[in-house]
Amino acid sequence: MTSKQSRDRILRGDPNTPLWVGMVALRLVTYCFAVVATITHQPDYQRPWLSWVMLGGITAWTAYTVPAYLRGYGRKPAIVYTDVLLTCAMLLTSLWILAPEHYILTPLITTVWASSAPVALAVLRGWPHGFAAGLLVAICTAVARGVINLDVTRDAVLLCGAGLVIGMSSAQARASAEQLRRALRTEAATAERERLARSIHDSVLQVLARVRRRGNELGGDAVELATLAGEQEIALRKLVSSGPQESGPAGETDLGGRLQMLRSPRVQVAVPGAEVLVAEEVASELLAAVGEALTNVANHAGPDAHAWVLLEELPNELVISVRDDGPGIPEGRLQAAEAEGRLGIARSMCGRMSDLGGSVELETTPGEGTEWELRLPRPAGQRRADGKGAKR
Amino acid sequence: MTETPISVMVVDDHPLWRDGVARDLSERGFEVRATAGDVASAVRIASAARPDVVLMDLNLGTASGVEAILAIAKDLPDTRVLVLSASGEHADVLEAVKAGASGYLVKSASAEELVDAVQRTAEGDPVFTAGLAGLVLGEYRRMAASPESGDEAPRLTERETEVMRLVAKGLTAKQIATRLKISHRTVENHVRSTLRKLQLHSRIDLVRYAIEHGLDE
């Protein structure tokens, strides 16, 4: 359930919500500064009443924006731009509140609270807006102070810097969320495709296989029906197995699942229960190599030969065995084929496997079939045995 | 198959498939004593019909046949369960075997293979297809590699692994016996012990789970 909730949050929610929470915390903390500063600096003010009015304004605006930003209904350009302008305007009233001899040293009426508005704009619109808002607040500070000294410059650097950095991280969060959204959508589409493929395997293919078998047993006109059903069965099986394979989150695919698609009345496939994840390109090459071995069975071991494909995941290598019960390859025939210049399966398979850094072994005894063993070393730790095993 | 025919029950939620299999089997001299399409009726009917062999599909609509296998293995110790499943149900097949099924056959198997499998199941031989051997090998290796299972996880002897690999490559017990120069009986014993260790381990797991969660009977 929680994973579904987090998925919903990713799909629909605002990826910048954590940044908004941080911004609200900043506003609340800096608000406390404003309150304390207003109380303690009363002697420096020429119009104490105006300082209370402004503190009231700061309080009201903080009270309005905190829930508005937290719940999300305030995360709109109109409100956030207003936030920045209102902050600047309140900051400038310091000119009428502070006694002129205190312009330079006494904190302005908004104190550090003024930094929260540029941060809000940075979260909403990214770094150019955040930087500009920081600069605007800095300029107002300079105007209110009437000088450009070390303090004013430092404030300007901090305000612009905050707008810049927060703005960049908000844009980054948005971009990552978009990528994640796309990945989740792809994943959902893949899962749906697999579900369809499974249910076709479970139902339609079974019925077609049944019709074909029964039709051939009955003979007569039913044989034609059986042939038609058989053709459709093969076509559908191909369609299900050769559809575009979407890859997993890291471009990985379950080799076991892919090999199983090779299953047919003449080919049995044995794989472990847990997923065997390999890179998409590696899976395609291995599948092509196995496909060549199976084609070889069909071409040379006779129409009645069966084949078995076994996938094993050892701690540091993958082993795929392809065995048939045909007559076997007479000694020297592979070499003869190669000598004739025909691109024999042996060369093509060995080429594929050595490109991947693996090897091929052939074992054949006349009369006892042929067995190919494809080995692909894998660095330790690449194994992910606890994926979808049948662990209770 | 002369005096007393082997009695069979077919459990599958697909009527066309269920009736087809039932007909195939009765045409070849088996007594199809009952059929069922869901877990609840499968368990109920099985305890009344007491067949020698239950042919169980694992994909029964919303429920899994594994539950039915657990119930049948508990109530009817003399009834053997042969799983007849479509491809792509790995975790389920392993669970079924751990629950007490004594064999597994893919649905694309021919009628002759089906008849042979039912006969062997009735005689008490595990029907160990290449596919199931691959799953079991993978499961043993998964347990060996998984850090949590530690030393308690059952392990295959070198010979058992060798036999299991050959089964997974489609060799018959006879061919394996010839290749390893051991007797046909020894091969079958290796296969049986491989299966038994897995079932026992899963039962120990279940009991431990029950004790830890206060469900001890």
Side-chain angles (χ1 to χ4, degrees), chain A residues 213 260 263 323 371 390, chain B residues 24 59 87 90 95 165 169:
Chain A
R213 201 163 82 196
Q260 295 229 57
R263 191 169 270 168
R323 192 186 79 90
E371 185 176 331
Chain B
D24 277 352
N59 190 1
S87 60
H90 290 135
E95 288 302 301
R165 286 193 76 203
K169 290 177 188 176

Side-chain angles (χ1 to χ4, degrees), chain B residues 5-213:
Chain B
I6 296 168
S7 59
V8 183
M9 171 173 168
V10 183
V11 183
D12 198 305
D13 65 336
H14 207 297
L16 183 79
W17 178 266
R18 189 171 62 217
D19 298 344
V21 168
R23 199 175 46 222
D24 277 352
L25 288 174
S26 48
E27 274 172 9
R28 284 166 174 82
F30 292 93
E31 180 202 345
V32 178
R33 210 171 267 182
T35 59
D38 60 83
V39 171
S41 55
V43 174
R44 201 182 51 223
I45 296 172
S47 47
R50 300 190 162 271
D52 297 324
V53 176
V54 175
L55 270 177
M56 178 77 72
D57 181 26
L58 289 184
N59 190 1
L60 297 175
T62 52
S64 159
V66 175
E67 293 163 42
I69 296 173
L70 272 173
I72 291 172
K74 191 167 154 255
D75 298 346
L76 304 167
D78 294 335
T79 296
R80 301 207 163 81
V81 179
L82 176 63
V83 172
L84 193 59
S85 118
S87 60
E89 297 173 321
H90 290 135
D92 277 3
V93 173
L94 256 183
E95 288 302 301
V97 167
K98 288 176 175 179
S102 55
Y104 156 59
L105 200 65
V106 285
K107 279 191 171 175
S108 51
S110 69
E112 288 68 37
E113 285 173 301
L114 176 66
V115 166
D116 179 54
V118 172
Q119 211 143 12
R120 276 164 54 205
T121 304
E123 284 159 18
D125 279 340
V127 173
F128 228 90
T129 60
L132 181 54
L135 283 176
V136 168
L137 260 183
E139 180 67 1
Y140 273 101
R141 287 184 176 136
R142 187 189 68 76
M143 288 189 292
S146 152
E148 68 197 80
S149 46
D151 301 333
E152 302 163 18
R155 277 165 211 270
L156 290 182
T157 63
E158 229 165 272
R159 221 342 112 77
E160 283 167 346
T161 308
E162 211 173 359
V163 169
M164 213 32 56
R165 286 193 76 203
L166 293 176
V167 177
K169 290 177 188 176
L171 277 84
T172 62
K174 219 160 128 196
Q175 288 170 317
I176 296 171
T178 315
R179 197 184 274 204
L180 298 181
K181 300 185 177 66
I182 52 180
S183 82
H184 179 255
R185 268 286 122 200
T186 314
V187 173
E188 294 207 321
N189 284 339
H190 284 312
V191 173
R192 232 192 301 265
S193 114
T194 304
L195 202 55
R196 205 173 40 230
K197 272 195 262 185
L198 199 61
Q199 287 171 350
L200 193 65
H201 178 63
S202 110
R203 238 164 270 157
I204 292 170
D205 261 4
L206 273 178
V207 169
R208 186 178 304 138
Y209 179 88
I211 292 171
E212 277 169 9
H213 292 75

Side-chain angles (χ1 to χ4, degrees), chain A residues 369-382:
Chain A
T370 312
E371 185 176 331
W372 298 93
E373 202 161 77
L374 317 180
R375 290 179 174 270
L376 183 65
R378 299 225 288 176
Q382 208 175 325

Side-chain angles (χ1 to χ4, degrees), chain A residues 135-382:
Chain A
L135 194 63
L136 183 64
V137 173
I139 289 169
C140 293
T141 309
V143 170
R145 297 282 191 204
V147 290
I148 295 181
N149 58 11
L150 185 66
D151 277 357
V152 170
T153 317
R154 191 188 52 208
D155 281 0
V157 169
L158 289 178
L159 281 165
C160 294
L164 182 74
V165 171
I166 306 258
M168 288 168 86
S169 81
S170 110
Q172 182 61 44
R174 246 192 294 272
S176 312
E178 185 46 44
Q179 276 178 338
L180 195 56
R181 248 173 237 164
R182 228 172 302 153
L184 283 177
R185 271 197 291 269
T186 313
E187 192 192 293
T190 310
E192 177 58 15
R193 217 190 78 82
E194 278 170 3
R195 195 191 61 75
L196 270 178
R198 251 200 316 277
S199 86
I200 288 174
H201 260 284
D202 284 359
S203 55
V204 187
L205 283 177
Q206 311 276 358
V207 173
L208 287 175
R210 173 93 207 138
V211 171
R212 183 177 57 151
R213 201 163 82 196
R214 196 65 197 152
N216 280 328
E217 282 169 13
L218 290 174
D221 288 346
V223 172
E224 191 197 337
L225 290 179
T227 313
L228 287 175
E231 282 167 5
Q232 288 308 305
E233 182 198 345
I234 291 164
L236 191 55
R237 207 180 278 280
K238 282 234 166 68
L239 188 68
V240 170
S241 60
S242 66
Q245 289 284 340
E246 312 265 355
S247 40
E252 288 189 322
T253 184
D254 176 24
L255 183 59
R258 298 280 292 272
L259 282 174
Q260 295 229 57
M261 295 297 193
L262 297 171
R263 191 169 270 168
S264 78
R266 304 230 168 274
V267 180
Q268 284 199 47
V269 180
V271 300
E275 285 186 329
V276 178
L277 292 175
V278 296
E280 179 64 44
E281 315 84 68
V282 176
S284 302
E285 282 299 290
L286 287 174
L287 238 73
V290 173
E292 281 169 337
L294 290 176
T295 309
N296 179 54
V297 173
N299 290 344
H300 300 288
D304 293 328
H306 289 79
W308 289 267
V309 177
L310 168 65
L311 168 66
E312 295 170 279
E313 188 178 33
L314 303 181
N316 45 21
E317 63 178 344
L318 290 179
V319 183
I320 304 177
S321 320
V322 183
R323 192 186 79 90
D324 68 60
D325 60 357
I329 302 177
E331 210 156 327
R333 214 181 74 191
L334 269 183
Q335 288 87 331
E338 223 170 327
E340 280 168 34
R342 280 187 282 152
L343 232 188
I345 31 137
R347 191 191 283 179
S348 169
M349 265 165 67
C350 292
R352 281 183 202 281
M353 290 307 292
S354 61
D355 283 351
L356 293 174
S359 61
V360 180
E361 258 174 60
L362 171 66
E363 204 176 293
T364 176
T365 319
E368 269 194 29
T370 312
E371 185 176 331
W372 298 93
E373 202 161 77
L374 317 180
R375 290 179 174 270
L376 183 65
R378 299 225 288 176
Q382 208 175 325

